Every structure is written in C-alpha cells, then in structure tokens.
Amino acid sequence: MDNPSKEPSGRPGNRQVARDPSVTIRRILKVNHAGEFGAIRIYGAQIAVARRLFPKIVPALEEMRADEIEHCRLFHEAMPARRAKPCRVMAFWSLGGAVLGFLTALCGRNMIWICTEAVESTVHRHLEDQLAFLLTRDRDLHALIASIQQEELAHLRKAEDNQKGRGLSRALFLPVVGALTDLMIWLSTWGDSSWMRAEMAREI
C-alpha cells in the first residue's frame, strides 16, 4: 500500500495528486518563485544594457525589477509553511533570463517593452489559473498572488504604453517569448506545470 505521507511521483495518471491540493499548492509556489527569479535576471540584463544605450528608461526598469525582487521574497517566505522548496533548476532560470534580457535590450528600446509585454501576459494567464484553484483551498496564498498580480498587470500596462508602434517585430516576437516563458515554466518543474494545469481544470 502506498504511503499517504509520501509525495506522489508526479505522473499524469496518478489520481492521488488530484485529491491532494497541497501538492498542487507546493508546485504553484515553486514555479512562481522560479518565475520571479527569472524576471529579476531579465530586468537586470536589460538595465545593464539600457544604462549605456537607453538611460531614460532605466528608472522604470529598476522599479519593475524591485517589484520582482519583492515578489520573489514573498513567495520564498510562503514556502516553509506549505512544505514547498525552490525548483531544482534555478540556474536555468538565471541563465535563460539573463540571455533573454541581453538579447532583447540589444535589439532596441522597443524590444525591451515587447519582451515585458510577452512575459507579463504569459504570467498573467498562469496566475489566473492559480487564483481560481486557490480561492477555496488556500485563502492566504490566494490573497498574496492576487496582490502580486496587480503589480504584474501594472508592468504589462507600462510595457504596452511605452511601445512605439505595433509592427511586424511585435507580432512575431510576442508569441515566441510567450512560448519561451511557458517552456521555462515547464522545464523548471520537469513537466509538472503541464499536468498541474490539467489538474487545476479538473478541480475548479
């Protein structure tokens, strides 16, 4: 007989996972914490380039980076009470975020804002799923994510407002960065995020 105290293996066919919301809650915290860490690295790389090429937008980028640092701290502090741990591939988020930040900044000021829009719109979609799942399962975490979501939406609006034109580069780049963000989320939990969303859909 399986030990009920042992965390399930994580296979999509494992029915115990769907009956145990605490498993999904731990995965939500893991992926959110990793995502905020990646965002910090994106903004850090963009700021490094923007200081030389686009100094006027540095204050806005620094403000958004400060928000992400605070979000990362809040998610980390929420982990112990829920027996959650940081994901095992934080180095991947560090490298991926830095590379994405440098490349987009080198492509121009507008590309920085397009990158922010792409990442934040993808994050918003994931947070919406999480909030629906957490509403009756973890009110404290629901409130935390709801407050963070408002700041992430502010970042999205700022990115949209600061773009100069919405041409072909935006149309091509938005889905690419959105897909890369989804891929980073998937890899950070070794594929857990795919069936975590399916589990949340069943439970809602």
Side-chain angles (χ1 to χ4, degrees):
M1 182 178 292
D2 292 337
N3 182 354
S5 65
K6 187 176 180 180
E7 186 169 328
S9 63
R11 291 189 294 271
N14 192 324
R15 294 186 178 182
Q16 183 181 356
V17 179
R19 294 196 300 265
D20 184 2
S22 67
V23 175
T24 303
I25 289 170
R26 288 198 289 273
R27 291 191 173 105
I28 286 172
L29 275 170
K30 177 190 293 186
V31 76
N32 287 4
H33 175 257
E36 298 293 351
F37 183 77
I40 292 168
R41 298 290 287 168
I42 291 172
Y43 283 123
Q46 289 175 337
I47 289 167
V49 175
R51 282 201 178 106
R52 290 182 174 272
L53 302 180
F54 323 111
K56 289 184 179 180
I57 70 171
V58 169
L61 295 176
E62 288 180 333
E63 181 180 350
M64 291 189 290
R65 183 174 183 269
D67 288 340
E68 306 297 3
I69 291 172
E70 178 65 7
H71 299 167
C72 190
R73 182 187 69 80
L74 290 170
F75 281 131
H76 190 267
E77 288 182 351
M79 284 181 165
R82 296 165 178 85
R83 295 188 294 119
K85 296 179 180 179
C87 79
R88 294 158 288 185
V89 286
M90 293 296 281
F92 172 81
W93 283 90
S94 179
L95 177 61
V99 169
L100 182 59
F102 274 119
L103 290 179
T104 52
L106 289 173
C107 287
R109 179 190 331 222
N110 217 43
M111 195 60 74
I112 290 175
W113 297 119
I114 293 172
C115 175
T116 300
E117 180 186 358
V119 172
E120 295 292 4
S121 58
T122 304
V123 167
H124 176 65
R125 172 166 49 82
H126 282 275
L127 294 184
E128 283 288 292
D129 290 339
Q130 295 171 10
L131 288 171
F133 179 83
L134 293 169
L135 182 61
T136 59
R137 294 171 175 84
D138 191 325
R139 293 294 183 90
D140 289 341
L141 185 56
H142 180 278
L144 173 61
I145 291 177
S147 66
I148 285 174
Q149 184 190 41
Q150 293 307 306
E151 293 186 341
E152 301 291 7
L153 281 173
H155 297 173
L156 175 59
R157 301 294 174 251
K158 183 175 291 187
E160 292 172 337
D161 292 343
N162 280 280
Q163 287 178 46
K164 300 191 181 300
R166 298 191 171 223
L168 182 62
S169 60
R170 177 180 179 275
L172 293 174
F173 196 70
L174 274 179
V176 171
V177 175
L180 285 173
T181 304
D182 277 323
L183 178 63
M184 289 174 71
I185 290 172
W186 189 87
L187 290 174
S188 73
T189 55
W190 297 92
D192 283 352
S193 62
S194 296
W195 59 273
M196 182 177 75
R197 291 192 71 194
E199 176 191 340
M200 288 192 291
R202 288 194 303 270
E203 293 284 330
I204 292 169

